[in-house]
Amino acid sequence: MNHFELRGGELACEDVPLARIAEAVGTPVYVYSSATLERHYTVLRDALMGAGLGEPLIAFAVKANSNVAVLKTLANLGAGADVVSQGEVRRALAAGVPPERIVFSGVGKTAGEIEFALRSGVAEINVESEPELKLVDQVAQALGVRAKIAIRVNPDVEAGGHAKIATGKADNKFGVSFSEAERLYVNASNAAGLSPVGVACHIGSQITDLAPMEAAFTKMRGLVERLRAQGLAVERLDLGGGLGVPYFNMPTPPSPADYAAMIGRVMKGLDIAFAFEPGRVIAANAGVLVARVQHVNTRPEGRRFLVLDAAMNDLLRPAMYEAYHDIRPVRPRDGEPVTYDVVGPVCETGDTFTRDRALPPIEGGDLLAFMTAGAYGAAMASEYNSRLLVPEVLVKGDQFAVVRPRETYEDMLARERPAPWL
Ligand code: LLP
């Protein structure tokens, strides 16, 4: 459920018409609904708690939506943060996420990033390989601290979904095998700079079938039990993110209640603190990208292109993953649906949001909303073609705030320097 609905014939975010935001801020612009973010977080938390998983750490995956105001909205409800870079640690801290609720994942953390995370007091560094374990140990010893770490395991399951976002197969770059995990856990418990607190996994994103998750989580439980049988303390089990969302024409994903019930079943009787790293399921349907139609270009042979002022640099998912986003006119016109190709102004054919999409009749100047764009939308935006980085707006009830203003051309050029010989 989300809070983007037609009100008096036009699409609104909570109590604010999207057209009003487009007028005030210009287009393209991302618009997020606080009520939807809050609802998604609360529904997931209640489902997990209702399934007997105690009071889990729900560390929002900052990569999905890294806007500080969005992070703060979630932090105010008690969310933690799953981060993958120093920049994300800084964003989480800036949003007021307590360091003891920050989990640091990622296969290539640098010594500098590890040092920053340890100095900040993050809850746990999820270690993804043996060389990384050694690096964390060295950095921690140099600082005179013990780094709390979890070993990220690659459970070797096929999660379905797009190959570019599957992370849980043995040939992906993420995590270590189960046998290696046991060895590394023992090594970590003997290392002067390390304090192993748990194990972690994350098998992929936009997962619409519980079976691969169940298989992975069952294996994770086995690992915890084997480690404990060796007398090792395992306090935390981090089950990652990955739960899919409905992108309109996709297979219906399992509900948070079904997801939680499955985990409750698999983990029954296991006394451990659970952590989760959800991104998409919280943020995707809490955001839209609003764009304006520049032209309707109808070719003599019949193909109709809607040329927008938004492009692949603003919303990369269709170009990168052939992703489907529902597209809705902000003020739908009456009439029979018409088939359009929806494209941006960037100079490559990949800058196509969709082909042959049936939409209500559209005219130049109309506003369109790309739905389900609150996760991996603005966070993946760039300035490709020297287009200004897209702004972001947060709505709460009848109020809205620009939480990232549109860059200016002066900002863009001021970041660069001439070489001394030029
Ligand atoms: N934890 C880890 C370690 C991850 O790598 C990810 C996502 C998450 C949590 C959050 O997963 P979620 O709950 O959002 O599925 N750009 C792609 C998605 C990449 C996901 C990468 N990892 C897209 O636009 O579909």
Side-chain angles (χ1 to χ4, degrees):
M1 193 209 135
N2 62 62
H3 292 78
F4 294 91
E5 280 163 352
L6 282 178
R7 297 255 183 114
E10 62 174 301
L11 201 56
C13 174
E14 302 188 24
D15 300 329
V16 183
L18 290 176
R20 197 197 305 161
I21 296 174
E23 213 49 61
V25 185
T27 50
V29 57
Y30 276 92
V31 180
Y32 308 128
S33 153
S34 301
T36 312
L37 288 166
E38 287 165 356
R39 183 187 146 82
H40 289 171
Y41 176 84
T42 312
V43 164
L44 181 63
R45 182 198 58 203
D46 292 352
L48 293 168
M49 288 176 66
L53 300 173
E55 200 156 327
L57 169 62
I58 302 184
F60 175 67
V62 171
K63 64 171 81 69
N65 189 317
S66 31
N67 186 285
V68 174
V70 167
L71 301 179
K72 208 174 178 73
T73 302
L74 296 169
N76 286 347
L77 300 175
D82 164 53
V83 300
V84 293
S85 66
Q86 179 174 164
E88 289 191 355
V89 182
R90 287 178 183 265
R91 283 180 175 278
L93 294 172
V97 178
E100 61 276 11
R101 292 184 160 270
I102 298 179
V103 173
F104 195 178
S105 311
V107 297
K109 305 170 201 81
T110 65
E113 288 182 310
I114 294 165
E115 179 176 340
F116 183 82
L118 292 176
R119 284 189 192 279
S120 307
V122 304
E124 160 187 316
I125 296 184
N126 286 351
V127 170
E128 306 232 10
S129 64
E130 183 158 18
E132 193 182 54
L133 190 74
K134 291 189 176 142
L135 182 61
V136 177
D137 186 23
Q138 276 166 17
V139 175
Q141 288 198 45
L143 289 178
V145 299
R146 263 179 191 271
K148 284 187 240 149
I149 60 116
I151 303 288
R152 173 159 173 196
V153 186
N154 184 323
D156 196 18
V157 297
E158 194 86 62
H162 198 283
K164 280 188 189 156
I165 56 174
T167 48
K169 280 294 287 173
D171 58 358
N172 298 136
K173 64 182 174 177
F174 301 95
V176 302
S177 67
F178 279 100
S179 56
E180 224 186 325
E182 285 189 50
R183 184 172 63 77
L184 294 186
Y185 209 91
V186 174
N187 290 355
S189 54
N190 294 322
L194 302 176
S195 163
V197 295
V199 288
C201 72
H202 168 78
I203 63 169
S205 198
Q206 187 52 22
I207 299 173
T208 51
D209 178 6
L210 287 180
M213 287 193 168
E214 181 157 357
F217 297 168
T218 305
K219 292 185 186 183
M220 292 303 289
R221 176 180 182 143
L223 174 64
V224 171
E225 286 169 340
R226 288 197 300 283
L227 291 170
R228 285 181 170 174
Q230 294 179 50
L232 298 161
V234 189
E235 296 153 31
R236 182 175 292 158
L237 177 53
D238 178 341
L239 296 176
L243 190 58
V245 299
Y247 281 96
F248 194 69
N249 70 341
M250 303 279 290
T252 312
S255 67
D258 291 346
Y259 170 73
M262 175 276 284
I263 300 170
R265 215 169 43 242
V266 171
M267 300 299 167
K268 200 169 170 47
L270 186 70
D271 182 18
I272 203 158
F274 289 95
F276 295 89
E277 304 170 355
R280 192 186 315 261
V281 75
I282 289 177
N285 278 311
V288 300
L289 172 65
V290 181
R292 198 175 287 280
V293 178
Q294 294 301 297
H295 317 286
V296 183
N297 175 9
T298 305
R299 290 264 174 80
E301 67 276 15
R303 201 161 265 288
R304 286 187 190 81
F305 292 93
L306 296 182
V307 184
L308 309 187
D309 63 1
M312 63 190 288
N313 69 298
D314 305 304
L315 177 64
L316 187 58
R317 304 192 69 257
M320 181 115 170
Y321 316 111
E322 296 82 39
Y324 182 103
H325 285 264
D326 189 18
I327 300 174
R328 295 198 209 154
V330 167
R331 288 183 176 134
R333 296 172 186 278
D334 293 334
E336 287 304 304
V338 181
T339 302
Y340 296 105
D341 288 3
V342 184
V343 302
V346 159
C347 299
E348 53 182 285
T349 306
D351 188 22
T352 296
F353 292 112
T354 185
R355 284 169 68 82
D356 297 320
R357 181 77 63 93
L359 296 172
I362 307 285
E363 293 182 11
D366 285 2
L367 292 169
L368 299 181
F370 287 86
M371 309 307 290
T372 321
Y376 307 108
M380 293 176 77
S382 75
E383 286 181 344
Y384 185 41
N385 275 212
S386 291
R387 291 166 48 79
L388 295 177
L389 210 53
V390 60
E392 296 169 275
V393 164
L394 183 64
V395 171
K396 185 170 179 65
D398 60 0
Q399 312 170 67
F400 72 88
V402 179
V403 291
R404 182 168 73 185
R406 191 183 310 281
E407 248 189 343
T408 65
Y409 291 108
E410 289 72 26
D411 297 335
M412 183 190 271
L413 288 167
R415 289 202 308 263
E416 292 176 30
R417 300 283 176 274
W421 58 88
L422 290 175

